[in-house]
């Protein structure tokens, strides 16, 4: 019995000791726990990169100072729990940027909304390695850990892969002009030439060196061709004068002095070299002429050509002379991205009298993606006219511009001339008006226009360069210049070459741009005409009428036409140069014909295969590709036999089918408030060429949610590659949440493609916390039982143990009573006495009698 009692006492003592030891620990844990229940969860929602002036940058070169504005949200903290931005501690960590950034915090949320803020890091510099920016955020008045966040700055340009033309500051714009101390050049004359270099930009030109290169008939007297100008400040002009000498024989044409300038300037990142070139035209006296003058132009409209679209183009041919022309054949050559859907590019026009015009309307179509915003049609007009007793054949050429609707951040400058019917005679002057139209949306600024006349016209005032401050989108400016013809022009059609350079805002800073054009000037000419020559042309061709898919076969049919009305051509050899985009199937590329009569046509058909070619540096695999047809033939010119050669280019459009496939989005099984969920899309590029500039974005959000990155730049996806695109998001309230996943890319034809996937998910409240598997909840449950209750429970347990001991004692006493049939203990109750069998008629003997009888 004593042994059992000792064991029980030992157990109770151990239990009490454990309770007394554990209780203070749990109580301390309860007292030290965060009573607020706040859990920090910082999420980056966006960022932008600007220069120190606040302009948004599209690229960040190494060492260039930038500002980073990062927007973040913390769904676990209410705005009311933070008294102000002073309570928020932000520090920049070691990453791909140098400098501490002097972080400044602006809180953008209010009251009980999740804490949202903008953090601005100023004047940090990209180190040129990696693209990561890291920082940490803490709260001075809240007992929560610091959040460490990082993001990838996609605008960073690795130093080793930095593009050569990636300049933050644009190349300085320079205006180079020259002037003589007399109007024209004469043989054996000494004169002064002044060169003016005007710096139209704000950048200083350092260590400027000028090299002069005169044409053959003039030379520099001192023999010195290189000059050092040191520094040319922003918006300043430097001039210097040299002496030139003309030779004894001075050709009757425009002479010139080439001006090449080299200099250094600060592009915002480093001191780099820039160059500029110009030719200063110097006019010498020259020589008269009489022949038909055909002027070619396009009738411009406001209609634009869209990708894969069609439109009509009207070509105007004006005979500006007194002479009539006949047998007029017009051959059209479209630029790379347009073609004729009916396959016809050669036309005949009726005879034209002097001072008359004819118009030709053709249908054109864009072949997939347009390689530029300004396409063109080359126009070649072959015609005959009578000179004395001879019939002369001649050719006039021109170009018609086609404006397309593809968007471009750059201005689209279209240069043309306002034509008059005045013919410039030898030695006379006239004014020519140049019209520069900005057909884009972006303003062109600091425009320098340089004019280069052909050999028989010049500028009597000596000025061939002009400056325009700006041309806004969809507006035009005009320049009027006085030109003078040489005494005997070398041909009846002279030209003014027009080169324009300008700057425009690309969204990431000012960048340079260029445009060029030609303006025709009609003059009188009296040159001797050659005898009549028969021409062999492709009057019509067909490839089926629709663009040809790459790696497929098609039939090319061509009509060959002898334009002469009186001469046969013989021993005709036709060669087809297919280049790298086509091959001849089961045939030779050379054909022979014995003869073709005057004015007759023959047809040749052959099978071609369109090839899939992707050369390095090739901007568009698809589009209009060319096949060159060359002719070599003989004909009788009077008493002698002559040979002639001709060639034409046929335009055939090729396209690549889009084989980039995207599966439907895979949604999560269960979405709850405050929990991160992921949606994935799988893709595969089944094509033979890369998919370019792939971007995935979340748009049209209906509901409250946060996502670390709404836009993902995936770059290029190679042929045959497959993977998945994932979007993580955190719902902020229960109910229906909808948004659209938008995938944009450029297919193998470089044509933009957009695919959208609508997403609808049901968001549920977060489930209540579970006891099992959540160790962090145990301290909270134990901390809810106060220490006095634990001590009281121990006392009750000890009291219960004492009662149990007393009952054990009583049970053992009962066993003794049953053994002697009586208890001598005074406190034994009557019901504990044993009963005996009744042997005295139901009456019990007294105690005294019984004891006497036993004795």
């Amino acid at each position: 019995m004593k042994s059992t009692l000792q064991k029980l006492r030992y157990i109770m003592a151990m239990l009490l000791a454990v309770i007394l030891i554990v209780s203070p620990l749990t109580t301390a844990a309860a007292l030290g726990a965060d009573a607020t229940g706040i859990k920090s969860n910082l999420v980056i929602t966006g960022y932008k990169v600007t220069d120190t002036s606040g302009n948004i940058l599209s690229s960040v070169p190494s060492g260039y100072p930038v500002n980073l504005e990062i927007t973040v949200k913390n769904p676990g903290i209410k705005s009311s729990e933070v008294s102000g931005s002073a309570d928020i501690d932000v520090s920049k960590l070691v990453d791909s940027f140098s400098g501490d950034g002097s972080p400044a915090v602006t809180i953008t949320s209010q009251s009980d909304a999740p804490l949202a803020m903008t953090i601005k890091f100023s004047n940090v510099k990209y180190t040129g390695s990696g693209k990561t920016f890291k920082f940490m955020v803490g709260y001075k008045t809240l007992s929560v850990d610091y959040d460490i966040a990082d993001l990838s700055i996609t605008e960073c340009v690795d130093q080793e892969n930095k593009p050569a033309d990636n300049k933050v500051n644009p190349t300085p714009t320079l205006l180079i002009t020259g002037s003589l101390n007399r109007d024209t050049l004469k043989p054996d004359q000494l004169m002064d030439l002044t060169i003016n270099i005007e710096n139209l930009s704000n950048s200083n030109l350092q260590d400027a060196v000028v090299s002069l290169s005169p044409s053959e008939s003039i030379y520099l007297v001192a023999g010195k061709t290189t000059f050092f100008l040191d520094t040319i400040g922003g918006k300043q002009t430097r001039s210097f004068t040299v002496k030139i000498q003309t030779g004894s024989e001075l050709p009757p044409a425009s002479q010139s002095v080439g001006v090449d300038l080299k200099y250094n300037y600060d592009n915002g990142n480093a001191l780099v070299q820039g160059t500029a070139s110009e030719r200063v035209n110097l006019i010498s006296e020259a020589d008269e002429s009489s022949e038909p003058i055909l002027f070619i132009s396009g009738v411009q409209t406001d209609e634009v050509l869209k990708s894969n679209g069609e439109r009509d183009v009207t070509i105007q041919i004006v005979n500006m002379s007194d002479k009539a022309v006949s047998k007029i054949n017009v051959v059209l050559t479209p630029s790379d991205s347009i073609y004729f859907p009916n396959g016809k590019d050669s036309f005949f026009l009726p005879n034209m009298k002097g001072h008359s015009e004819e118009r030709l309307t053709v249908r054109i179509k864009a072949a997939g993606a347009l390689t530029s915003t300004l396409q063109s049609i080359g126009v070649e007009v072959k015609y005959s006219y009578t000179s004395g007793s001879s019939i002369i054949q001649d050719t006039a050429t021109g170009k018609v511009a086609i404006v397309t609707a593809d968007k471009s951040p750059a201005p689209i400058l279209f240069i043309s001339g306002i034509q008059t019917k005045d013919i410039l005679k030898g030695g006379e002057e006239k004014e020519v008006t140049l019209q520069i139209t900005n057909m884009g949306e972006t303003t062109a600024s600091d425009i320098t226009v340089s004019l280069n006349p052909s050999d028989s016209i010049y500028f009597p005032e000596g000025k061939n360069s002009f400056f325009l401050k700006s041309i806004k989108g969809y507006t035009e400016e005009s320049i009027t210049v006085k030109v003078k013809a040489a005494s005997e022009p070398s041909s009846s059609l002279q030209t003014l070459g027009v080169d324009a350079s300008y700057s425009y805002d690309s969204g990431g800073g000012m960048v340079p741009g260029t445009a060029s054009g030609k303006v025709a000037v009609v003059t009188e000419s009296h040159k001797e005409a050659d005898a009549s020559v028969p021409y062999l042309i492709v009057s019509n061709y067909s490839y089926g009428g629709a663009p040809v898919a790459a790696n497929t076969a098609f039939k090319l049919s061509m009509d060959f036409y002898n334009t002469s009305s009186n001469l046969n051509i013989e021993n005709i050899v036709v060669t087809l140069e297919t280049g790298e985009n086509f091959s001849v199937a089961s045939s030779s590329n050379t054909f022979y014909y014995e003869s073709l009569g005057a004015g007759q046509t023959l047809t040749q058909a052959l099978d071609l295969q369109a090839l899939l070619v992707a050369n390095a540096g090739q901007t568009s695999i698809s589009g209009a590709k060319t096949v060159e047809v060359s002719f070599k033939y003989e004909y009788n010119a009077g008493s002698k036999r002559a040979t002639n050669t001709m060639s034409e280019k046929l335009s055939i459009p090729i396209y690549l089918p889009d084989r980039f496939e995207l599966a439907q989005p895979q949604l999560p099984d269960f979405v709850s408030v405050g929990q991160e969920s992921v949606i994935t899309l799988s893709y595969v590029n089944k094509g033979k060429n890369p998919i370019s500039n792939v971007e995935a974005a979340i748009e049209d959000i209906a509901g409250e949610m946060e996502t670390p990155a709404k836009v993902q730049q995936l770059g290029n996806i190679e042929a045959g590659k497959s993977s998945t695109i994932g979007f993580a998001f955190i719902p902020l309230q229960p109910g229906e949440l909808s948004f659209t996943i938008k995938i944009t890319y450029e297919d193998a034809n470089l044509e933009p493609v957009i695919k959208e996937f609508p997403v609808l998910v049901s968001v549920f409240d977060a489930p209540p916390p579970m006891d099992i598997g959540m160790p962090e909840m145990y301290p909270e449950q134990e901390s809810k039982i106060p220490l006095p209750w634990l001590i009281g429970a121990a006392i009750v347990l000890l009291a219960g143990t004492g009662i149990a001991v007393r009952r054990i004692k009583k049970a053992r006493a009962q066993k003794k009573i049953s053994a002697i049939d009586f208890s001598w203990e005074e406190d034994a109750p009557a019901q504990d006495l044993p009963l005996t069998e009744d042997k005295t008629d139901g009456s019990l003997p007294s105690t005294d009698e019984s004891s006497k009888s036993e004795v």
Side-chain angles (χ1 to χ4, degrees), residues 14 70 96 149 242 272 290 307-308 323 325 384 422 470 508 510 532 561 591 612 625 648 665 674 698 745 785:
M14 292 294 294
I70 304 172
S96 301
V242 295
V272 297
S290 175
S307 294
N308 291 313
K323 282 189 174 291
V325 295
S384 300
D422 297 335
S470 65
M510 299 296 290
S532 178
Y561 175 67
F591 308 92
L612 183 62
K625 306 302 178 183
E648 289 188 43
I698 290 181
Y745 61 92
I785 305 175

PDB file of all heavy atoms in Angstrom, residues 14 70 96 149 242 272 290 307-308 323 325 384 422 470 508 510 532 561 591 612 625 648 665 674 698 745 785:
ATOM      1  N   MET A  14       5.564  15.283 -10.391  1.00  0.00           N
ATOM      2  CA  MET A  14       6.130  15.514 -11.732  1.00  0.00           C
ATOM      3  C   MET A  14       5.175  16.313 -12.607  1.00  0.00           C
ATOM      4  O   MET A  14       5.579  17.205 -13.354  1.00  0.00           O
ATOM      5  CB  MET A  14       6.446  14.163 -12.402  1.00  0.00           C
ATOM      6  CG  MET A  14       7.578  13.402 -11.751  1.00  0.00           C
ATOM      7  SD  MET A  14       9.161  14.284 -11.934  1.00  0.00           S
ATOM      8  CE  MET A  14       9.350  14.165 -13.698  1.00  0.00           C
ATOM      9  N   ILE A  70       8.418  52.777 -59.280  1.00  0.00           N
ATOM     10  CA  ILE A  70       7.879  51.429 -59.097  1.00  0.00           C
ATOM     11  C   ILE A  70       6.597  51.530 -58.282  1.00  0.00           C
ATOM     12  O   ILE A  70       6.582  52.147 -57.208  1.00  0.00           O
ATOM     13  CB  ILE A  70       8.892  50.522 -58.378  1.00  0.00           C
ATOM     14  CG1 ILE A  70      10.226  50.497 -59.148  1.00  0.00           C
ATOM     15  CG2 ILE A  70       8.356  49.120 -58.208  1.00  0.00           C
ATOM     16  CD1 ILE A  70      11.345  49.798 -58.422  1.00  0.00           C
ATOM     17  N   SER A  96      21.925  45.379 -60.365  1.00  0.00           N
ATOM     18  CA  SER A  96      22.550  45.781 -61.630  1.00  0.00           C
ATOM     19  C   SER A  96      22.656  47.290 -61.782  1.00  0.00           C
ATOM     20  O   SER A  96      23.054  47.764 -62.847  1.00  0.00           O
ATOM     21  CB  SER A  96      21.753  45.202 -62.808  1.00  0.00           C
ATOM     22  OG  SER A  96      21.708  43.796 -62.741  1.00  0.00           O
ATOM     23  N   ALA A 149      12.085  42.724 -52.535  1.00  0.00           N
ATOM     24  CA  ALA A 149      11.479  42.604 -53.865  1.00  0.00           C
ATOM     25  C   ALA A 149      12.536  42.852 -54.927  1.00  0.00           C
ATOM     26  O   ALA A 149      13.510  43.583 -54.704  1.00  0.00           O
ATOM     27  CB  ALA A 149      10.335  43.594 -54.014  1.00  0.00           C
ATOM     28  N   VAL A 242      38.077  79.496 -99.437  1.00  0.00           N
ATOM     29  CA  VAL A 242      39.215  78.952-100.177  1.00  0.00           C
ATOM     30  C   VAL A 242      39.189  79.512-101.597  1.00  0.00           C
ATOM     31  O   VAL A 242      38.141  79.932-102.099  1.00  0.00           O
ATOM     32  CB  VAL A 242      39.163  77.406-100.209  1.00  0.00           C
ATOM     33  CG1 VAL A 242      39.316  76.829 -98.828  1.00  0.00           C
ATOM     34  CG2 VAL A 242      37.873  76.916-100.858  1.00  0.00           C
ATOM     35  N   VAL A 272      31.383  60.447 -78.884  1.00  0.00           N
ATOM     36  CA  VAL A 272      31.402  59.612 -80.086  1.00  0.00           C
ATOM     37  C   VAL A 272      31.637  60.490 -81.310  1.00  0.00           C
ATOM     38  O   VAL A 272      31.523  61.719 -81.261  1.00  0.00           O
ATOM     39  CB  VAL A 272      30.078  58.835 -80.241  1.00  0.00           C
ATOM     40  CG1 VAL A 272      29.873  57.885 -79.089  1.00  0.00           C
ATOM     41  CG2 VAL A 272      28.900  59.791 -80.327  1.00  0.00           C
ATOM     42  N   SER A 290      15.432  69.884-129.199  1.00  0.00           N
ATOM     43  CA  SER A 290      14.025  69.814-129.586  1.00  0.00           C
ATOM     44  C   SER A 290      13.641  68.364-129.772  1.00  0.00           C
ATOM     45  O   SER A 290      14.106  67.713-130.691  1.00  0.00           O
ATOM     46  CB  SER A 290      13.803  70.591-130.889  1.00  0.00           C
ATOM     47  OG  SER A 290      12.483  70.426-131.333  1.00  0.00           O
ATOM     48  N   SER A 307      -2.380  46.794 -95.255  1.00  0.00           N
ATOM     49  CA  SER A 307      -1.814  45.454 -95.405  1.00  0.00           C
ATOM     50  C   SER A 307      -2.872  44.514 -95.969  1.00  0.00           C
ATOM     51  O   SER A 307      -4.005  44.466 -95.488  1.00  0.00           O
ATOM     52  CB  SER A 307      -1.319  44.929 -94.055  1.00  0.00           C
ATOM     53  OG  SER A 307      -0.236  45.704 -93.596  1.00  0.00           O
ATOM     54  N   ASN A 308      -2.512  43.789 -97.032  1.00  0.00           N
ATOM     55  CA  ASN A 308      -3.399  42.855 -97.731  1.00  0.00           C
ATOM     56  C   ASN A 308      -4.571  43.552 -98.411  1.00  0.00           C
ATOM     57  O   ASN A 308      -5.493  42.892 -98.867  1.00  0.00           O
ATOM     58  CB  ASN A 308      -3.928  41.772 -96.791  1.00  0.00           C
ATOM     59  CG  ASN A 308      -2.855  40.805 -96.357  1.00  0.00           C
ATOM     60  OD1 ASN A 308      -2.092  40.315 -97.183  1.00  0.00           O
ATOM     61  ND2 ASN A 308      -2.774  40.553 -95.056  1.00  0.00           N
ATOM     62  N   LYS A 323       5.725  68.282-130.195  1.00  0.00           N
ATOM     63  CA  LYS A 323       5.811  67.097-131.045  1.00  0.00           C
ATOM     64  C   LYS A 323       4.817  66.026-130.603  1.00  0.00           C
ATOM     65  O   LYS A 323       4.616  65.798-129.407  1.00  0.00           O
ATOM     66  CB  LYS A 323       7.223  66.516-131.016  1.00  0.00           C
ATOM     67  CG  LYS A 323       8.213  67.259-131.876  1.00  0.00           C
ATOM     68  CD  LYS A 323       9.512  66.513-131.967  1.00  0.00           C
ATOM     69  CE  LYS A 323      10.452  67.210-132.956  1.00  0.00           C
ATOM     70  NZ  LYS A 323       9.957  67.080-134.341  1.00  0.00           N
ATOM     71  N   VAL A 325       3.655  62.045-130.260  1.00  0.00           N
ATOM     72  CA  VAL A 325       4.322  60.762-130.026  1.00  0.00           C
ATOM     73  C   VAL A 325       3.331  59.643-130.308  1.00  0.00           C
ATOM     74  O   VAL A 325       2.110  59.812-130.172  1.00  0.00           O
ATOM     75  CB  VAL A 325       4.849  60.653-128.580  1.00  0.00           C
ATOM     76  CG1 VAL A 325       5.936  61.668-128.329  1.00  0.00           C
ATOM     77  CG2 VAL A 325       3.726  60.811-127.569  1.00  0.00           C
ATOM     78  N   SER A 384       7.593  56.490-129.824  1.00  0.00           N
ATOM     79  CA  SER A 384       8.235  56.850-131.106  1.00  0.00           C
ATOM     80  C   SER A 384       7.784  58.246-131.513  1.00  0.00           C
ATOM     81  O   SER A 384       6.691  58.695-131.143  1.00  0.00           O
ATOM     82  CB  SER A 384       7.863  55.845-132.203  1.00  0.00           C
ATOM     83  OG  SER A 384       8.290  54.541-131.855  1.00  0.00           O
ATOM     84  N   ASP A 422       5.406  75.360-118.220  1.00  0.00           N
ATOM     85  CA  ASP A 422       6.506  76.173-118.739  1.00  0.00           C
ATOM     86  C   ASP A 422       7.726  75.303-118.989  1.00  0.00           C
ATOM     87  O   ASP A 422       8.115  74.511-118.126  1.00  0.00           O
ATOM     88  CB  ASP A 422       6.863  77.280-117.743  1.00  0.00           C
ATOM     89  CG  ASP A 422       5.706  78.249-117.535  1.00  0.00           C
ATOM     90  OD1 ASP A 422       4.885  78.357-118.450  1.00  0.00           O
ATOM     91  OD2 ASP A 422       5.637  78.856-116.448  1.00  0.00           O
ATOM     92  N   SER A 470       9.843  72.925 -88.575  1.00  0.00           N
ATOM     93  CA  SER A 470       9.072  71.700 -88.321  1.00  0.00           C
ATOM     94  C   SER A 470       7.955  71.577 -89.337  1.00  0.00           C
ATOM     95  O   SER A 470       7.527  72.565 -89.945  1.00  0.00           O
ATOM     96  CB  SER A 470       8.496  71.693 -86.897  1.00  0.00           C
ATOM     97  OG  SER A 470       7.553  72.732 -86.737  1.00  0.00           O
ATOM     98  N   GLY A 508      11.254  57.557 -76.934  1.00  0.00           N
ATOM     99  CA  GLY A 508      12.395  57.329 -76.052  1.00  0.00           C
ATOM    100  C   GLY A 508      13.473  58.373 -76.262  1.00  0.00           C
ATOM    101  O   GLY A 508      14.622  58.154 -75.942  1.00  0.00           O
ATOM    102  N   MET A 510      14.717  62.035 -78.922  1.00  0.00           N
ATOM    103  CA  MET A 510      14.770  62.525 -80.296  1.00  0.00           C
ATOM    104  C   MET A 510      15.753  61.677 -81.098  1.00  0.00           C
ATOM    105  O   MET A 510      16.887  61.439 -80.664  1.00  0.00           O
ATOM    106  CB  MET A 510      15.199  63.989 -80.321  1.00  0.00           C
ATOM    107  CG  MET A 510      14.256  64.930 -79.584  1.00  0.00           C
ATOM    108  SD  MET A 510      12.602  65.002 -80.327  1.00  0.00           S
ATOM    109  CE  MET A 510      12.962  65.858 -81.854  1.00  0.00           C
ATOM    110  N   SER A 532      16.011  54.072-135.352  1.00  0.00           N
ATOM    111  CA  SER A 532      14.967  53.289-134.693  1.00  0.00           C
ATOM    112  C   SER A 532      15.503  51.925-134.263  1.00  0.00           C
ATOM    113  O   SER A 532      16.238  51.270-134.998  1.00  0.00           O
ATOM    114  CB  SER A 532      13.790  53.111-135.654  1.00  0.00           C
ATOM    115  OG  SER A 532      12.803  52.323-135.058  1.00  0.00           O
ATOM    116  N   TYR A 561       6.387  40.793-126.578  1.00  0.00           N
ATOM    117  CA  TYR A 561       5.830  41.653-127.637  1.00  0.00           C
ATOM    118  C   TYR A 561       6.934  42.460-128.309  1.00  0.00           C
ATOM    119  O   TYR A 561       7.771  43.081-127.636  1.00  0.00           O
ATOM    120  CB  TYR A 561       4.789  42.600-127.027  1.00  0.00           C
ATOM    121  CG  TYR A 561       4.241  43.617-127.995  1.00  0.00           C
ATOM    122  CD1 TYR A 561       3.452  43.239-129.081  1.00  0.00           C
ATOM    123  CD2 TYR A 561       4.521  44.974-127.832  1.00  0.00           C
ATOM    124  CE1 TYR A 561       2.957  44.174-129.960  1.00  0.00           C
ATOM    125  CE2 TYR A 561       4.032  45.913-128.701  1.00  0.00           C
ATOM    126  CZ  TYR A 561       3.247  45.512-129.778  1.00  0.00           C
ATOM    127  OH  TYR A 561       2.758  46.448-130.658  1.00  0.00           O
ATOM    128  N   PHE A 591      15.385  30.045-123.214  1.00  0.00           N
ATOM    129  CA  PHE A 591      14.520  29.652-124.332  1.00  0.00           C
ATOM    130  C   PHE A 591      14.987  30.369-125.599  1.00  0.00           C
ATOM    131  O   PHE A 591      15.485  31.513-125.537  1.00  0.00           O
ATOM    132  CB  PHE A 591      13.062  30.028-124.034  1.00  0.00           C
ATOM    133  CG  PHE A 591      12.577  29.512-122.697  1.00  0.00           C
ATOM    134  CD1 PHE A 591      12.679  30.307-121.557  1.00  0.00           C
ATOM    135  CD2 PHE A 591      12.045  28.248-122.563  1.00  0.00           C
ATOM    136  CE1 PHE A 591      12.254  29.852-120.330  1.00  0.00           C
ATOM    137  CE2 PHE A 591      11.616  27.778-121.349  1.00  0.00           C
ATOM    138  CZ  PHE A 591      11.716  28.580-120.222  1.00  0.00           C
ATOM    139  N   LEU A 612      11.493  28.640 -99.801  1.00  0.00           N
ATOM    140  CA  LEU A 612      11.470  29.228 -98.458  1.00  0.00           C
ATOM    141  C   LEU A 612      12.892  29.626 -98.101  1.00  0.00           C
ATOM    142  O   LEU A 612      13.726  28.789 -97.796  1.00  0.00           O
ATOM    143  CB  LEU A 612      10.923  28.222 -97.448  1.00  0.00           C
ATOM    144  CG  LEU A 612      10.783  28.714 -96.009  1.00  0.00           C
ATOM    145  CD1 LEU A 612       9.812  29.877 -95.940  1.00  0.00           C
ATOM    146  CD2 LEU A 612      10.318  27.593 -95.116  1.00  0.00           C
ATOM    147  N   LYS A 625       8.470  39.237-104.509  1.00  0.00           N
ATOM    148  CA  LYS A 625       9.820  38.896-104.952  1.00  0.00           C
ATOM    149  C   LYS A 625       9.872  38.987-106.482  1.00  0.00           C
ATOM    150  O   LYS A 625       8.841  38.974-107.157  1.00  0.00           O
ATOM    151  CB  LYS A 625      10.212  37.490-104.481  1.00  0.00           C
ATOM    152  CG  LYS A 625      10.050  37.287-102.978  1.00  0.00           C
ATOM    153  CD  LYS A 625      10.857  38.274-102.176  1.00  0.00           C
ATOM    154  CE  LYS A 625      10.640  38.087-100.694  1.00  0.00           C
ATOM    155  NZ  LYS A 625      11.367  39.092 -99.882  1.00  0.00           N
ATOM    156  N   GLU A 648      13.695  42.899-117.971  1.00  0.00           N
ATOM    157  CA  GLU A 648      12.580  43.371-117.145  1.00  0.00           C
ATOM    158  C   GLU A 648      12.501  42.522-115.890  1.00  0.00           C
ATOM    159  O   GLU A 648      12.917  41.354-115.879  1.00  0.00           O
ATOM    160  CB  GLU A 648      11.246  43.274-117.900  1.00  0.00           C
ATOM    161  CG  GLU A 648      11.081  44.261-119.018  1.00  0.00           C
ATOM    162  CD  GLU A 648       9.671  44.227-119.580  1.00  0.00           C
ATOM    163  OE1 GLU A 648       8.712  44.171-118.773  1.00  0.00           O
ATOM    164  OE2 GLU A 648       9.529  44.236-120.812  1.00  0.00           O
ATOM    165  N   PRO A 665      -6.534  28.529 -72.299  1.00  0.00           N
ATOM    166  CA  PRO A 665      -5.932  28.669 -70.966  1.00  0.00           C
ATOM    167  C   PRO A 665      -6.361  27.545 -70.020  1.00  0.00           C
ATOM    168  O   PRO A 665      -7.517  27.109 -70.045  1.00  0.00           O
ATOM    169  CB  PRO A 665      -6.458  30.025 -70.478  1.00  0.00           C
ATOM    170  CG  PRO A 665      -6.867  30.747 -71.714  1.00  0.00           C
ATOM    171  CD  PRO A 665      -7.327  29.708 -72.678  1.00  0.00           C
ATOM    172  N   GLY A 674      -7.006  36.176 -51.617  1.00  0.00           N
ATOM    173  CA  GLY A 674      -5.706  36.316 -50.976  1.00  0.00           C
ATOM    174  C   GLY A 674      -4.712  35.229 -51.299  1.00  0.00           C
ATOM    175  O   GLY A 674      -3.560  35.310 -50.870  1.00  0.00           O
ATOM    176  N   ILE A 698      -2.406  40.818 -69.674  1.00  0.00           N
ATOM    177  CA  ILE A 698      -3.738  40.695 -69.068  1.00  0.00           C
ATOM    178  C   ILE A 698      -4.430  42.043 -69.219  1.00  0.00           C
ATOM    179  O   ILE A 698      -3.896  43.073 -68.817  1.00  0.00           O
ATOM    180  CB  ILE A 698      -3.651  40.288 -67.585  1.00  0.00           C
ATOM    181  CG1 ILE A 698      -3.176  38.833 -67.473  1.00  0.00           C
ATOM    182  CG2 ILE A 698      -4.981  40.448 -66.903  1.00  0.00           C
ATOM    183  CD1 ILE A 698      -3.087  38.347 -66.044  1.00  0.00           C
ATOM    184  N   TYR A 745       1.986  39.099 -81.595  1.00  0.00           N
ATOM    185  CA  TYR A 745       3.282  38.736 -82.157  1.00  0.00           C
ATOM    186  C   TYR A 745       3.315  39.095 -83.637  1.00  0.00           C
ATOM    187  O   TYR A 745       2.278  39.486 -84.217  1.00  0.00           O
ATOM    188  CB  TYR A 745       3.555  37.231 -81.968  1.00  0.00           C
ATOM    189  CG  TYR A 745       2.553  36.319 -82.644  1.00  0.00           C
ATOM    190  CD1 TYR A 745       2.763  35.840 -83.940  1.00  0.00           C
ATOM    191  CD2 TYR A 745       1.389  35.910 -81.984  1.00  0.00           C
ATOM    192  CE1 TYR A 745       1.847  35.010 -84.564  1.00  0.00           C
ATOM    193  CE2 TYR A 745       0.474  35.072 -82.589  1.00  0.00           C
ATOM    194  CZ  TYR A 745       0.708  34.624 -83.880  1.00  0.00           C
ATOM    195  OH  TYR A 745      -0.203  33.801 -84.496  1.00  0.00           O
ATOM    196  N   ILE A 785      -5.514  30.107 -22.445  1.00  0.00           N
ATOM    197  CA  ILE A 785      -5.807  29.535 -21.120  1.00  0.00           C
ATOM    198  C   ILE A 785      -4.994  30.295 -20.085  1.00  0.00           C
ATOM    199  O   ILE A 785      -3.782  30.176 -20.041  1.00  0.00           O
ATOM    200  CB  ILE A 785      -5.443  28.037 -21.079  1.00  0.00           C
ATOM    201  CG1 ILE A 785      -6.170  27.288 -22.207  1.00  0.00           C
ATOM    202  CG2 ILE A 785      -5.771  27.445 -19.709  1.00  0.00           C
ATOM    203  CD1 ILE A 785      -5.787  25.846 -22.313  1.00  0.00           C
TER     204      ILE A 785
END
